Amino acid sequence: MIGAQWGDEGKGKITDLLSRSAHVVVRYQGGVNAGHTVVVKGQTFKLHLIPSGILYPDTECVIGNGTVIDPKALIVELDTLAELGISAENLFISSSAHVTMPYHRMIDQAAEERRGNKKIGTTKRGIGPTYADKSERTGIRIIDLMETEVLKEQIEWTVQYKNVVLENLYDLPPLDAKAVIEEYMGYADRLRSHVVDSSLLINQAVRQRKNILFEGAQGTLLDLDHGTYPYVTSSNPVAGGACIGSGVGPTMIDRVIGVAKAYTTRVGEGPFPTELCDGLGDQLCALGAEFGTTTGRQRRCGWFDAVIGRYAVRINGIDCVAITKLDVLDEMEEIQVCVAYEIDGEKHHELPSSARQFARCQPIYKTMPGWKQSTSHCKSLDDLPQEALNYLKFLAELMEVPIAIVSLGASRDQTIIVEDPIHGPKRALLYENGITPQVA
């Protein structure tokens, strides 16, 4: 399951919903820069590293090798769940996942400030520098955290090297290697019982024919390779990233579920063609409670962009889509959908790869009538106002992919299941009148 926009599409709720049918839920990339909010029986859970499936006691949850783990943040999350009566006995952490260290956070914060008006909108949680060390082959992995002598040797060498950068490039105080070693040895003791060879665990579940849900963080347009570079994250949220980030072969993946809001939001910097910089944008923000789970930053809001929707379908091989927050549009007199872009007087139906060209994109809109009534109580497609149903059909037709789920609020029961994406029949890129028919 992947985000089909710039993240924040409501993946937490959809993961929670699909976890009812999953034996294993795997988080395969990102770090504490991501956040999923789930509302169950009026209680709100904010998760950053732990998969949303943890709310189901019999579901195994795996933090895969493609993630980067801040042990301090993970332990806080574990403690919070324990206070709420949620067991983490079925949480497993990949021994190959890389660890976010104090110098990663310090460098991330300092580097973003140095960028001035060229900021990329990082969460300043150390994610980019952690992935940079992974690529540079100087990173510390969870397995290193478990081996005291290896950990001491690595931290002593790395802190000495990073202190040169902190002091001379960013004018920051140096770190004390001994203090860092002591701190992270404490984290190791707390997490040790959860550490496994996650690739082996997942592949054993495959052989046992268990349902496995791979949970992406962020969204397609934030992908390091396929997103709106350089305003992207440091990993691969796209469907292909699930194989690398969890250690399974591509032939094991048999369905890709995309999640998209009924409008579009973006956090941080970067071009956003359909952004509404007026009262309508503020209205969407207020109605949709558009504030980041991780940072609390206000999200930029705009109309649905079918160009990036089609792009996400292509890049990920999306089989079906979950549309979230349809209810946020309930009060709108008219709703606009971006069907193409205009760049220097020319019409474009595909996403440009050039960041400068993308920044010049002007949306070409199709205007649709609103429905001006609440949809939050609807339990089936038949309950929806005709204008709302027409809107969904139009989105499906533009993206050329069926809509399997429609979310109408934060709670589990505010959801229309058009087709069960896990147990229903696969209809790759096929749709009938824009929405797949109900499956018994």
Side-chain angles (χ1 to χ4, degrees), residues 168-200:
N168 294 289
L169 183 58
Y170 297 114
D171 196 27
L172 292 172
L175 288 165
D176 181 343
K178 290 184 179 179
V180 175
I181 291 168
E182 184 176 345
E183 178 186 357
Y184 277 72
M185 284 176 61
Y187 298 152
D189 291 339
R190 177 69 188 277
L191 298 176
R192 194 177 305 276
S193 63
H194 296 282
V195 177
V196 298
D197 179 341
S198 60
S199 174
L200 178 61

